[in-house]
Amino acid sequence: DSGVTQTPKHLITATGQRVTLRCSPRSGDLSVYWYQQSLDQGLQFLIQYYNGEERAKGNILERFSAQQFPDLHSELNLSSLELGDSALYFCASSASNEQYFGPGTRLTVT
Amino acid sequence: AQKITQTQPGMFVQEKEAVTLDCTYDTSDQSYGLFWYKQPSSGEMIFLIYQGSYDEQNATEGRYSLNFQKARKSANLVISASQLGDSAMYFCAMSPYNFGNEKLTFGTGTRLTIIP
């Protein structure tokens, strides 16, 4: 158990819908990272928050957004969903250079 | 930009043998970190081992060791005495060594299958 929690584990929704994925980092970790793992693109970095502020952006679509709250948990919002958004979405947290991943949320868009 | 290359899409290894998973990287940064993660069929990403670019000794964690050759820009993972439970996808990754900005760049992975 990495200490990073993600909810929900599985999510099935229809095209055009909006969903929110939630992540709680390990106790004391200020950084939260979101990654997407798909068959087409492999593992890709989406976005990073550090102590409530956006720190780095990767290959994140404009339809996607994220935020980190004062209690350090983070949410990834995915809107106008398309079939190609089906993927495993990971959250990771770190206090130093090592990152620990949550169990992931498997999103299926039908 | 950082890039990770894993040239072995799949490997089959006999149980109890040692296995080396290849990883080469490309970066213009002087400071960086190298990582290996294991992803079993259940899907979670399990951190295995870390090597900093300034670390002179190769990192070891139990049966895992990282063969770091900086001049060759390689960071191969060595698993000694392989076990059936080692069957999984293995990802090499790197990050810049900047405090507060450690986004990981991943390779495409190697699927390791341990044969009884």
Side-chain angles (χ1 to χ4, degrees):
Chain A
D1 187 349
S2 67
V4 179
T5 61
Q6 288 186 250
T7 56
K9 272 193 168 183
H10 302 277
L11 200 49
I12 302 174
T13 189
T15 54
Q17 295 298 305
R18 173 190 167 95
V19 297
T20 297
L21 313 183
R22 183 186 168 103
C23 167
S24 293
R26 295 187 316 163
S27 177
D29 285 358
L30 299 180
S31 278
V32 168
Y33 306 79
W34 286 97
Y35 295 89
Q36 179 196 58
Q37 185 178 30
S38 65
L39 288 175
D40 293 344
Q41 305 290 334
L43 262 162
Q44 286 196 108
F45 166 73
L46 295 179
I47 196 164
Q48 178 205 355
Y49 278 81
Y50 179 81
N51 202 20
E53 294 189 3
E54 181 184 304
R55 183 62 67 99
K57 253 184 176 177
N59 299 323
I60 188 167
L61 300 172
E62 285 191 11
R63 300 183 285 108
F64 296 180
S65 65
Q67 54 184 328
Q68 186 178 29
F69 295 87
D71 66 352
L72 301 178
H73 91 271
S74 177
E75 292 180 357
L76 179 67
N77 301 297
L78 315 176
S79 61
S80 302
L81 285 167
E82 302 175 359
L83 295 177
D85 298 328
S86 295
L88 189 52
Y89 291 84
F90 286 107
C91 164
S93 76
S94 74
S96 60
N97 222 29
E98 297 176 19
Q99 289 188 26
Y100 292 88
F101 282 68
T105 293
R106 186 168 295 281
L107 173 66
T108 303
V109 182
T110 61
Chain B
Q2 301 184 325
K3 186 178 178 182
I4 294 283
T5 301
Q6 293 180 257
T7 57
Q8 307 153 309
M11 286 187 71
F12 290 84
V13 174
Q14 204 75 35
E15 189 181 7
K16 298 182 184 175
E17 289 185 352
V19 56
T20 298
L21 304 181
D22 295 341
C23 172
T24 58
Y25 61 91
D26 190 22
T27 182
S28 55
D29 295 329
Q30 294 301 308
S31 302
Y32 49 88
L34 294 157
F35 305 77
W36 279 92
Y37 286 86
K38 172 184 179 181
Q39 187 176 38
S41 56
S42 51
E44 73 268 34
M45 293 289 285
I46 302 169
F47 168 77
L48 295 179
I49 198 166
Y50 164 79
Q51 177 91 36
S53 59
Y54 290 118
D55 295 340
E56 293 188 352
Q57 293 206 332
N58 287 340
T60 59
E61 291 284 350
R63 293 187 299 112
Y64 304 108
S65 61
L66 197 151
N67 185 0
F68 180 46
Q69 297 190 40
K70 197 169 183 177
R72 291 187 173 188
K73 293 191 174 180
S74 75
N76 297 341
L77 177 70
V78 180
I79 307 174
S80 63
S82 57
Q83 303 170 356
L84 296 179
D86 295 332
S87 293
M89 281 289 288
Y90 287 81
F91 291 95
C92 181
M94 74 181 303
S95 76
Y97 202 75
N98 298 324
F99 180 74
N101 181 10
E102 301 93 9
K103 60 188 180 192
L104 291 172
T105 300
F106 286 88
T108 51
T110 296
R111 182 171 296 281
L112 176 64
T113 303
I114 306 299
I115 306 165

